[in-house]
Amino acid sequence: MLSSFNEWFWQDRFWLPPNVTWTELEDRDGRVYPHPQDLLAALPLALVLLAMRLAFERFIGLPLSRWLGVRDQTRRQVKPNATLEKHFLTEGHRPKEPQLSLLAAQCGLTLRQTQRWFRRRRNQDRPQLTKKFCEASWRFLFYLSSFVGGLSVLYHESWLWAPVMCWDRYPNQTLKPSLYWWYLLELGFYLSLLIRLPFDVKRKDFKEQVIHHFVAVILMTFSYSANLLRIGSLVLLLHDSSDYLLEACKMVNYMQYQQVCDALFLIFSLVFFYTRLVLFPTQILYTTYYESISNRGPFFGYYFFNGLLMLLQLLHVFWSCLILRMLYSFMKKGQMEKDIRSDVEESDSSEEEAAAQEPLQLKNGAVGGPRPAPTDGPRSRVAGRLTNRHTTAT
């Protein structure tokens, strides 16, 4: 059964253009072609990258964060409460006011004490700044190294400057060792990201990140197996060109260098918009949709590959909208707000709770506007006596 499935799965018409078979891509006369089994090396490489990441974050990232002044916020621990903990884990982290009132009655607490317990409990699950800094510094190191390495691999290749050359004599294109190792490193890295997803910092675009990582792994696997390495390498280089800028911006933000962070974010935004919204659709998508079938007819791999690229472009548009929201806030306030994908630490002061439930109390006793004059008290009695004397004199 397994052999029959394997035979069906690797049919020529799924992976290769019409009238092309796997036998044409066999190594011969010193010409080496990519083979799907080569990608098995990405699995142990992903584990090696995971081990390198753990060592980097512990022995380099953490000391570096402390040296650069990244400090974790002090958080008050919640008092153990089985009823509230059960609701927190099973029902949700943000109960509505009727649920809060019921829980408060069950635990013998006030409504404000119950609100405070849930707020502190949510804060305990939020990652600390040092953890965020370590993750960002590791990704910054990899993306920067990958971008520089990929640029050095592709700089002298004709298809970097003219994407139409990706289809020159396709699929009879030999594999260069430097391109193989760079591709394998990228695939191993994205596999390591997928393995670490349950443990990494979860942002509000977590689902989109999961989709992106899966699409990236499938695209790299399919493009290597179908010998679409040239166009695949352009997609990788295009993404790496802005990713390291984003991670650098995060690191500077955690260090609280606001002006440097704002400048880096503006540079990242320009690079992101140009590469993902201009170059990607006009160069990558155009050549894969039209120029790739100018000499050969479409096949299953053509539709599959372009469908994944289009899904990638939709993710680009989604993240572009988030970036535009932050840029709009920057233009309006003159300062970049926190990453709207991040979960913000909640305040733990009872004064702020009271301020949210009571009107704003000014220093002179006025409450947000004029108040009616008191009808009793020392000042009112003195005013009455003066009025009576004035009437008598008149």
Side-chain angles (χ1 to χ4, degrees), residues 42-102:
L43 295 175
L45 181 59
L47 298 179
V48 172
L49 287 173
L50 278 176
M52 291 177 60
R53 173 180 174 174
L54 293 175
F56 174 87
E57 291 182 354
R58 181 173 181 179
F59 299 109
I60 298 178
L62 189 58
L64 182 64
S65 67
R66 293 170 179 169
W67 183 68
L68 293 174
V70 180
R71 295 291 182 266
D72 294 331
Q73 296 183 5
T74 303
R75 296 172 177 173
R76 297 182 181 180
Q77 299 296 315
V78 297
K79 295 181 180 179
N81 190 306
T83 302
L84 299 183
E85 183 70 22
K86 180 180 179 181
H87 189 281
F88 183 88
L89 296 176
T90 59
E91 301 295 331
H93 299 177
R94 297 181 180 273
K96 302 297 181 181
E97 188 168 346
Q99 294 176 312
L100 283 171
S101 301
L102 181 60

Side-chain angles (χ1 to χ4, degrees), residues 96-342:
K96 302 297 181 181
E97 188 168 346
Q99 294 176 312
L100 283 171
S101 301
L102 181 60
L103 290 170
Q106 292 176 353
C107 301
L109 302 173
T110 64
L111 180 61
R112 186 175 299 176
Q113 288 174 331
T114 310
Q115 290 173 336
R116 186 185 300 117
W117 190 95
F118 275 96
R119 182 172 55 256
R120 292 180 180 176
R121 184 63 179 83
R122 288 193 297 268
N123 283 339
Q124 287 182 10
D125 284 353
R126 292 187 175 93
Q128 296 280 16
L129 283 182
T130 51
K131 176 178 173 61
K132 293 181 179 180
F133 181 90
C134 290
E135 289 186 10
S137 59
W138 166 253
R139 288 195 291 262
F140 168 78
L141 178 64
F142 179 86
Y143 287 136
L144 181 60
S145 303
S146 179
F147 175 69
V148 174
L151 196 60
S152 64
V153 169
L154 301 181
Y155 185 78
H156 298 289
E157 302 295 346
S158 59
W159 66 83
L160 176 62
W161 315 104
V164 68
M165 295 301 296
C166 291
W167 317 110
D168 181 37
R169 295 179 291 105
Y170 174 77
N172 298 301
Q173 299 168 348
T174 56
L175 175 65
K176 295 185 176 182
S178 58
L179 184 58
Y180 165 73
W181 286 110
W182 179 54
Y183 224 75
L184 192 68
L185 184 65
E186 289 273 8
L187 180 58
F189 177 74
Y190 276 97
L191 285 174
S192 69
L193 289 182
L194 283 175
I195 297 173
R196 283 286 303 181
L197 269 176
F199 312 102
D200 284 346
V201 176
K202 291 182 176 59
R203 304 181 186 275
K204 294 179 181 178
D205 62 344
F206 176 75
K207 295 180 181 178
E208 289 77 13
Q209 287 284 355
V210 173
I211 295 174
H212 175 270
H213 294 343
F214 270 108
V215 170
V217 169
I218 296 173
L219 272 174
M220 282 185 277
T221 304
F222 181 84
S223 60
Y224 186 92
S225 302
N227 203 11
L228 291 166
L229 279 171
R230 292 187 178 184
I231 191 65
S233 63
L234 294 184
V235 174
L236 288 175
L237 188 66
L238 209 62
H239 283 72
D240 289 342
S241 63
S242 61
D243 285 342
Y244 72 91
L245 290 172
L246 176 61
E247 302 304 329
C249 185
K250 292 178 185 178
M251 293 168 59
V252 174
N253 181 47
Y254 302 145
M255 294 158 54
Q256 298 183 354
Y257 293 158
Q258 192 61 47
Q259 292 183 346
V260 180
C261 177
D262 293 347
L264 274 176
F265 188 81
L266 290 175
I267 297 172
F268 158 75
S269 302
L270 292 175
V271 175
F272 185 93
F273 290 145
Y274 181 67
T275 55
R276 309 290 179 95
L277 299 184
V278 178
L279 288 182
F280 191 83
T282 61
Q283 300 296 321
I284 303 299
L285 292 182
Y286 178 81
T287 193
T288 56
Y289 268 88
Y290 299 106
E291 295 174 341
S292 63
I293 56 174
S294 58
N295 297 324
R296 299 178 181 271
F299 60 106
F300 173 80
Y302 165 84
Y303 297 108
F304 181 73
F305 189 70
N306 281 288
L308 291 177
L309 289 178
M310 184 56 67
L311 180 57
L312 208 56
Q313 180 61 21
L314 292 177
L315 291 173
H316 296 165
V317 174
F318 169 79
W319 281 312
S320 297
C321 292
L322 297 183
I323 295 172
L324 285 174
R325 285 175 57 187
M326 297 184 69
L327 288 176
Y328 173 77
S329 175
F330 175 74
M331 298 297 293
K332 188 176 180 180
K333 301 177 182 179
Q335 182 178 356
M336 196 70 65
E337 68 176 8
K338 293 184 181 295
D339 189 351
I340 57 179
R341 303 175 306 147
S342 299

Side-chain angles (χ1 to χ4, degrees), residues 10-54:
W10 293 107
Q11 292 184 73
D12 301 333
R13 61 189 181 91
F14 288 163
W15 299 83
L16 302 173
N19 303 320
V20 178
T21 62
W22 289 112
T23 56
E24 298 182 37
L25 300 181
E26 293 293 333
D27 299 341
R28 64 174 68 88
D29 300 329
R31 296 170 61 88
V32 178
Y33 295 94
H35 303 290
Q37 60 268 25
D38 298 341
L39 296 178
L40 293 176
L43 295 175
L45 181 59
L47 298 179
V48 172
L49 287 173
L50 278 176
M52 291 177 60
R53 173 180 174 174
L54 293 175

Side-chain angles (χ1 to χ4, degrees), residues 354-391:
Q357 297 178 5
E358 299 176 3
L360 180 62
Q361 185 77 21
L362 302 181
K363 290 183 179 180
N364 61 359
V367 184
R371 298 175 63 184
T375 57
D376 194 9
R379 292 186 180 182
S380 62
R381 290 195 292 268
V382 171
R385 291 171 185 172
L386 291 175
T387 303
N388 292 336
R389 289 178 183 178
H390 177 72
T391 305

